[in-house]
Amino acid sequence: MAPAWAELAGQEAAVGQLSRAATMDAPTHAWLFTGPPGSGRSNAARAFAQALQCEVADPAQRGCGHCHACLTVHAGTHADVKVVATENVTYKIDEIRELISLAQDRPSSGRWRIFIIEDADRMTERATNVLLKAIEEPPARTIWMLCAPSPADVLVTIRSRCRPVGLRIPSVQSVADLLADRDGLDPALALFAARASQSHVGMARRLARDEGARQRREAVVHLPLRIQATSDAVALAKELVEVTQEEAKSSAEVRNAEERASLLRALGLGEDEKVPPKLRHHVKRLEDSQTARNKRSVHDTLDRAMIDLTGLFRDVLALQLGTGAELVNEHLRDELGSYAHGVTAERTVARIDAVATARRRLAGNVPPLLALEAMTMSFLPDRILDRRPGELV
Ligand SMILES: [Zn+2]
């Protein structure tokens, strides 16, 4: 298997499909990558872009990981691979128009001009219709790669013109193996991280590598276990916002530094070497994309905390129903066991719903504290919730 695909843990079917397509002289010009968050949709699109641009002589080896094209696609600096992510809730129609005009150009150095649109589900119907025209009448050397959680998240008109690539949630074990074999992390820690992240590769890697990230996750999942009174619910909502802000900041710093180091390597520069003027636009481009991502990262980290809380209550429910399932928070089995004992399964289901509602409100730009307070109120002990609302104060 060529190195480009190594990052895609547990996605054998997709890797087979894409590596075959990469050997063709004329691959399909529009692709739709779908899969749940963390399954690696945009990583799969990038790996495919790398294989398509790879300069190695033998097509079967495309995605070699060593040639100039491979290195620059991987570092995000290849002139003919544009990754588009929006910092807004939806793509603006002008953003899409600009892409389409870029798509008319011939590739500058690569074989193809490739556009990867992350979160294609965030396109408005108008923006989608503009893109649709470009996909229907494709310039000869342009390839579009769209990413979305599921096929149903993009309009059927677009979907029907794209070749689908379905990614699945990798098994906990395959994520743990990736971290242990490829990153050289301790197998037990890798397994814990794979489980706790619910098979989200990026998050698992971060948890396994960074003790601070592990501590912040623990703070989030312990939160419902600590709530005893209405005043706690308010204070803990605030704490949750603070913990996630801190995590977003730290996570962005680590990732930005790694990307910068990998870019400098691709440009053939040492870590502390001064960037010569003619290469500065590469660094500028990376910094711009990092700035856009930083703006979104608090929102994304908060969303991640919601997923952690859902996992926690699913664990509680599994214990209450005695399903015997392996827990996401296996390391908290005893603590969760006694918590599960003190509440009804109905209430656990109501709490899972409350987390889902908070998540929806956050996505809809409700102020975080407001959305979270309503959620933490539902974590109050049954003895308080069972009283009539008037007695709460
Ligand atoms: Zn290559």
Side-chain angles (χ1 to χ4, degrees), residues 84-110:
V84 197
T86 182
E87 62 193 74
N88 304 308
V89 177
T90 55
Y91 283 98
K92 295 199 188 87
I93 198 155
D94 292 342
E95 292 177 278
I96 303 296
R97 286 215 175 97
E98 191 193 324
L99 286 184
I100 289 166
S101 101
L102 287 172
Q104 308 308 316
D105 298 344
R106 293 190 56 79
S108 62
S109 64

Side-chain angles (χ1 to χ4, degrees), residues 157-189:
T157 42
I158 286 268
R159 201 193 317 157
S160 62
R161 283 168 181 82
C162 294
R163 176 139 320 163
V165 182
L167 299 163
R168 51 197 191 101
I169 299 179
S171 69
V172 165
Q173 195 58 52
S174 63
V175 173
D177 289 347
L178 177 79
L179 298 186
D181 300 343
R182 214 169 114 75
D183 300 349
L185 293 161
D186 171 65
L189 188 57

Side-chain angles (χ1 to χ4, degrees), residues 166-327:
L167 299 163
R168 51 197 191 101
I169 299 179
S171 69
V172 165
Q173 195 58 52
S174 63
V175 173
D177 289 347
L178 177 79
L179 298 186
D181 300 343
R182 214 169 114 75
D183 300 349
L185 293 161
D186 171 65
L189 188 57
L191 187 60
F192 158 80
R195 212 186 267 139
S197 69
Q198 302 178 53
S199 291
H200 188 299
V201 178
M203 195 59 222
R205 178 172 288 136
R206 179 159 169 71
L207 284 177
R209 275 186 184 164
D210 183 339
E211 203 194 334
R214 287 201 292 281
Q215 283 168 354
R216 284 185 287 274
R217 182 188 181 278
E218 286 305 289
V220 170
V221 294
H222 273 94
L223 209 124
L225 312 179
R226 287 167 49 203
I227 293 189
Q228 293 302 325
T230 316
S231 56
D232 292 344
V234 176
L236 290 174
K238 188 160 169 279
E239 193 178 314
L240 185 55
V241 172
E242 285 162 3
V243 168
T244 46
Q245 276 168 348
E246 206 182 310
E247 171 61 14
K249 187 162 168 273
S250 152
S251 148
E253 276 167 4
V254 172
R255 197 168 157 191
N256 292 353
E258 280 175 1
E259 283 176 352
R260 192 184 164 88
S262 135
L263 170 62
L264 294 179
R265 267 198 309 279
L267 297 174
L269 296 168
E271 193 97 339
D272 300 316
E273 211 171 317
K274 201 168 173 325
V275 182
K278 69 176 166 62
L279 293 178
R280 265 181 214 152
H281 68 280
H282 287 296
V283 179
K284 172 86 174 50
R285 207 160 112 187
L286 176 68
E287 285 170 352
D288 287 348
S289 83
Q290 290 181 338
T291 306
R293 198 178 55 207
N294 289 352
K295 284 191 190 161
R296 262 183 60 184
S297 97
V298 172
H299 174 269
D300 291 350
T301 311
L302 206 46
D303 194 51
R304 191 65 225 168
M306 299 292 106
I307 294 171
D308 287 336
L309 288 173
T310 308
L312 183 88
F313 287 118
R314 286 221 192 99
D315 285 350
V316 172
L317 194 61
L319 291 167
Q320 286 171 326
L321 302 178
T323 62
E326 189 176 72
L327 306 183

Side-chain angles (χ1 to χ4, degrees), residues 120-136:
D121 53 310
R122 293 192 192 202
M123 269 190 286
T124 59
E125 191 164 344
R126 274 180 68 217
T128 307
N129 287 331
V130 172
L131 180 65
L132 182 63
K133 257 194 99 41
I135 289 182
E136 280 175 330

Side-chain angles (χ1 to χ4, degrees), residues 50 54-56 61-67 69-70:
Q50 183 179 329
C54 178
E55 294 150 0
V56 83
Q61 300 300 317
R62 282 185 185 156
C64 73
H66 309 296
C67 70
C70 275

Side-chain angles (χ1 to χ4, degrees), residues 329-357:
N329 299 284
E330 199 56 54
H331 65 298
L332 301 178
R333 184 174 273 276
D334 293 346
E335 219 168 320
L336 293 179
S338 46
Y339 178 85
H341 202 66
V343 287
T344 62
E346 288 75 19
R347 199 132 261 166
T348 306
V349 172
R351 286 173 183 157
I352 293 174
D353 287 345
V355 177
T357 304

